[in-house]
Amino acid sequence: MRELRIRVLAGVFAVAGVLSWAGARLWNSIGTLPSVPLAAPVVLALIAVVLLATALSLRGRLKAQRERRPGAKGVDPLMAARAVVFGQASALVAALVSGMYGGTGVFLLELLDFPVRRDQAIYAGLSVLAGLGVIAAALFLERVCKLPEDDDENHPGAEPVA
């Protein structure tokens, strides 16, 4: 399984941000810009908490398994792989959504004189922060589930993963 690259996430975030900013400008010139929902940062924060809890649980179980503690509950490799795929998908979606809300938030900075738009700018900023939390939790989960044999430094002559 390939490791998630921060460059890819940053690229998705940047492209989504620029397109969202341009779309918000266009939409606002034609009519009324849709509001940024309060639920957006809440849902992203919940996803980050689930990813973090999964990572911490797996880390503890893997540590107990490595130390051969009696009664240690092992980790099914398929479950760990599913957790990593869930983390990677969540990180990509969070980068996209955070970029969209980031671009909209930058546009809304021009309209801070209106209380409704100020609140929406705050929700957009909180959504970006929560999205970054999802990305951080997903990367942590990926690192927790990484096998020691996966390190390229331990295998001379191994091809780097692109």
Side-chain angles (χ1 to χ4, degrees):
M1 187 177 302
R2 290 184 180 214
E3 224 176 272
L4 196 57
R5 300 219 180 248
I6 294 177
R7 288 185 302 217
V8 171
L9 296 172
V12 169
F13 178 84
V15 168
V18 169
L19 290 175
S20 177
W21 173 80
R25 289 184 59 90
L26 178 64
W27 196 317
N28 196 51
S29 68
I30 294 172
T32 303
L33 181 68
S35 65
V36 177
L38 175 60
V42 174
V43 170
L44 286 170
L46 286 174
I47 293 170
V49 167
V50 168
L51 286 170
L52 185 61
T54 303
L56 292 175
S57 172
L58 286 174
R59 184 176 73 167
R61 288 172 58 186
L62 287 169
K63 183 178 179 185
Q65 189 176 3
R66 264 186 263 116
E67 293 174 354
R68 301 186 193 277
R69 292 184 193 158
K73 189 175 178 183
V75 176
D76 180 32
L78 187 58
M79 196 233 359
R82 287 178 180 158
V84 170
V85 169
F86 171 62
Q88 288 180 344
S90 298
L92 286 167
V93 170
L96 178 69
V97 169
S98 296
M100 288 172 43
Y101 284 125
T104 303
V106 168
F107 171 74
L108 289 172
L109 290 176
E110 301 170 3
L111 305 171
L112 291 178
D113 297 337
F114 305 106
V116 174
R117 294 300 186 193
R118 185 178 322 118
D119 290 344
Q120 290 176 1
I122 291 170
Y123 299 156
L126 291 174
S127 297
V128 171
L129 291 176
L132 293 176
V134 169
I135 291 169
L139 291 175
F140 178 62
L141 175 61
E142 188 178 58
R143 299 301 186 268
V144 165
C145 292
K146 186 175 182 179
L147 296 174
E149 304 86 67
D150 286 348
D151 292 333
D152 291 336
E153 297 143 8
N154 293 341
H155 297 295
E159 292 181 357
V161 177

